[in-house]
Amino acid sequence: MLTRAATTLLVLALCCASPASGQTAASRTQVATPAAPAEPENPENGAAREWTFSAMLSGYNVPGDRLYPQPTVTADRRRLHLEARYNYEDLDTGSAWVGYNLGGGEKVAWELTPMVGGVFGNVVAVAPGYRGSVGWRKLEFASEGEYVFGSKDDEEWFFYNWSELTVAPADWWRVGLATQRTRAYAADRDTQRGIVAGFSYRSLDAAFYLFNPDDDVSIVVATVSFGF
């Protein structure tokens, strides 16, 4: 059931958000569109040398557990994708990733970044993974996932996933459904389902999630991200 604090947070977000002209809403799992690889690198071609960066901070409110942050930072240069996460696979656990950006389409735009990463901390593992999205008109499906092969025992082997299906009535806000599979905290079910409302202003994006809204114990997640 939605807590009073979460309800207040959503109402404030709805009241304070303002539209940004021409700005497309960004999902939690959004990947950067790769630059065209045909441009040769030379001192006069500055765009081919540029990096793009993003930073995201998610706050988890898990009843009966601690409130904890989950930061993610990314760096992209043409096809190259670099990423670092903390408190994602488990609490007090980090992971580092390298991937390859792909993308295309006009009416149906798609992006895909296959990745491989290393996990260290409470969980020590190697993990193949991906980030990707498909967009058509006002609809977008975005997903990120990884399969963790733990080094201690088979109990650490697990498929982590976060997926969203959203519709954006305007460029600056979106609503939809979300699911996640995680072992970062204890939950009654491996796959949790919920709702999402997100808002964008220029390069800043905020989103609010409520997982298991029909259960006695609901999980609230708030994220804020920006790119530069």
Side-chain angles (χ1 to χ4, degrees), residues 12-31:
L12 287 175
L14 285 168
C15 293
C16 296
S18 58
S21 177
Q23 179 67 32
T24 301
S27 69
R28 180 184 187 276
T29 58
Q30 185 176 8
V31 292

Side-chain angles (χ1 to χ4, degrees), residues 57-62 65-71 86-88 90-92 180 182-185:
L57 180 64
S58 299
Y60 281 74
N61 183 11
V62 183
D65 206 336
R66 70 184 189 183
L67 176 68
Y68 71 92
Q70 192 278 295
Y86 189 69
N87 284 344
Y88 188 97
D90 198 357
L91 297 184
D92 303 317
Q180 70 165 337
T182 181
R183 285 185 176 173
Y185 55 83

Side-chain angles (χ1 to χ4, degrees), residues 79 81 97-102 112-116 128-132:
R79 298 297 186 185
H81 175 79
W97 300 82
V98 60
Y100 188 78
N101 291 322
L102 301 168
L112 178 64
T113 302
M115 307 186 298
V116 62
Y130 72 91
R131 296 169 66 101

Side-chain angles (χ1 to χ4, degrees), residues 160-179:
Y160 292 78
N161 179 264
W162 183 294
S163 296
E164 300 178 22
L165 177 62
T166 57
V167 58
D171 288 343
W172 62 277
W173 71 285
R174 67 191 184 279
V175 292
L177 304 174
T179 63

Side-chain angles (χ1 to χ4, degrees), residues 203-228:
S203 60
L204 182 67
D205 184 82
F208 305 91
Y209 302 83
L210 179 67
F211 288 102
N212 307 328
D214 56 339
D215 287 355
D216 293 335
V217 178
S218 298
I219 298 160
V220 177
V221 181
T223 70
V224 59
S225 62
F226 64 95
F228 55 96

